[in-house]
Amino acid sequence: MQDDPPQVPDGCPFIIRCIHVEGEPMPLAAARNRAATAAHGDLLAFLDVDCIPDEHLVKRAIEAIHEVPHGVFLPEVRYLPGARRGWLESDGRTTDYASLQWAGRRHPAKRDLTNVSIEPIGDFGELWGLAFILAKSTWTAAGGMDEEYVGYGAEETDFGRRLEGCGAELFWLGGTICYHQHHVVHKPPLQHFESIVRNARLFRRRWGEWCMDYWLDDFERRGLVDRSGGELRVLRPPTPAEINATEQGPHVRFS
């Protein structure tokens, strides 16, 4: 989704294909649809660009789909602090998973998957685009992601509804960890104000209710939007100073 293609290292032990998806703001739903269409295998594992899967991800994905073919699985995610020396072995290419495991921290709002193999999740609202696994047939049955969602927010919540509608089941998946690399976050994400408002309105039209309520509630408290009467009205956009003030310090890892 970037203008210039990423640099793919030589000598990787597996095939890497780069598919360019144009669009601005970020066309995440369209990019995931394109990747699913291009995939040759029967199993799809989606990761955000800032996530590092451990060496057990593919093995656990195969085992999970074998156990529940129509399942959608959320592996454990742990958050890393800022970059430091010692996380890579001397060749600079092989990930030192022991260091990542030592440094990674579980999101306090997420289920602790220690000693969990597969555990049902009752609410598809838990679907997290950061890392999820499913059979390609399940993806196809749900119709993929709605490409009208562009920019930040709501495409994964909408997809959860589609999955639930086609009879899929959601599970936590233990035995593998995806490590989220540190980056600066904004709380609330005022830098994405326009796309959050747009995508929230689209979700409301699709499903008859709001999503991203935690951000919309915050926007209302700041006098940016109003939802009285069932409509989302923009009262004013956030100022550059307000956006800058929401930037979290380097100690904040969760996003």
Side-chain angles (χ1 to χ4, degrees):
M1 294 179 286
Q2 61 204 56
D3 293 334
D4 298 320
Q7 297 298 313
V8 178
D10 296 327
C12 284
F14 48 82
I15 295 173
I16 297 176
R17 287 186 294 151
C18 295
I19 301 170
H20 185 223
V21 180
E22 295 182 349
E24 183 64 36
M26 184 172 61
L28 187 54
R32 284 175 166 159
N33 285 345
R34 192 78 60 84
T37 299
H40 296 313
D42 299 325
L43 178 60
L44 304 176
F46 290 91
L47 294 174
D48 272 4
V49 67
D50 50 14
C51 287
I52 303 171
D54 73 6
E55 69 271 40
H56 304 299
L57 179 71
V58 174
K59 174 178 178 290
R60 290 294 294 130
I62 293 171
E63 292 170 346
I65 291 294
H66 179 75
E67 185 169 341
V68 189
H70 61 284
V72 181
F73 301 91
L74 307 185
E76 182 176 359
V77 174
R78 293 187 187 175
Y79 283 74
L80 300 172
R84 64 177 68 177
R85 294 177 180 270
W87 282 12
L88 296 178
E89 293 181 0
S90 58
D91 62 7
R93 294 171 56 185
T94 305
T95 303
D96 180 2
Y97 287 110
S99 294
L100 295 180
Q101 187 173 23
W102 172 82
R105 296 293 179 267
R106 183 176 60 85
H107 194 297
K110 297 299 179 180
R111 173 79 167 87
D112 183 356
L113 298 184
T114 304
N115 299 321
V116 170
S117 176
I118 294 174
E119 182 177 287
I121 305 174
D123 180 10
F124 260 90
E126 289 280 0
L127 182 68
W128 206 8
L130 200 70
F132 65 99
I133 298 161
L134 74 172
K136 191 171 185 179
S137 58
T138 303
W139 175 275
T140 301
M145 287 193 167
D146 188 335
E147 295 186 14
E148 286 198 47
Y149 293 95
V150 292
Y152 182 95
E155 85 287 335
E156 62 198 328
T157 309
D158 181 279
F159 187 54
R161 294 293 182 86
R162 290 164 171 252
L163 287 166
E164 189 172 23
C166 76
E169 295 182 82
L170 193 62
F171 297 87
W172 297 115
L173 178 65
T176 182
I177 300 171
C178 297
Y179 296 96
H180 183 283
Q181 299 178 74
H182 176 82
H183 60 78
V184 173
V185 299
H186 290 252
K187 294 186 178 181
L190 291 183
Q191 78 277 27
H192 298 302
F193 177 78
E194 291 185 5
S195 61
I196 289 175
V197 168
R198 180 191 180 278
N199 289 341
R201 286 170 171 165
L202 176 59
F203 188 90
R204 173 84 169 187
R205 292 197 301 271
R206 292 281 193 269
W207 304 101
E209 60 184 276
W210 299 111
C211 67
M212 300 183 288
D213 292 275
Y214 38 94
W215 299 137
L216 295 180
D217 289 344
D218 193 289
F219 294 172
E220 284 190 292
R221 287 193 294 270
R222 295 169 185 266
L224 303 177
V225 302
D226 177 73
R227 282 189 290 171
S228 61
E231 298 294 330
L232 177 56
R233 296 188 302 115
V234 174
L235 303 179
R236 65 174 180 86
T239 66
E242 287 176 311
I243 294 173
N244 291 336
T246 64
E247 182 177 313
Q248 305 295 295
H251 60 286
V252 177
R253 311 173 183 176
F254 305 112
S255 68

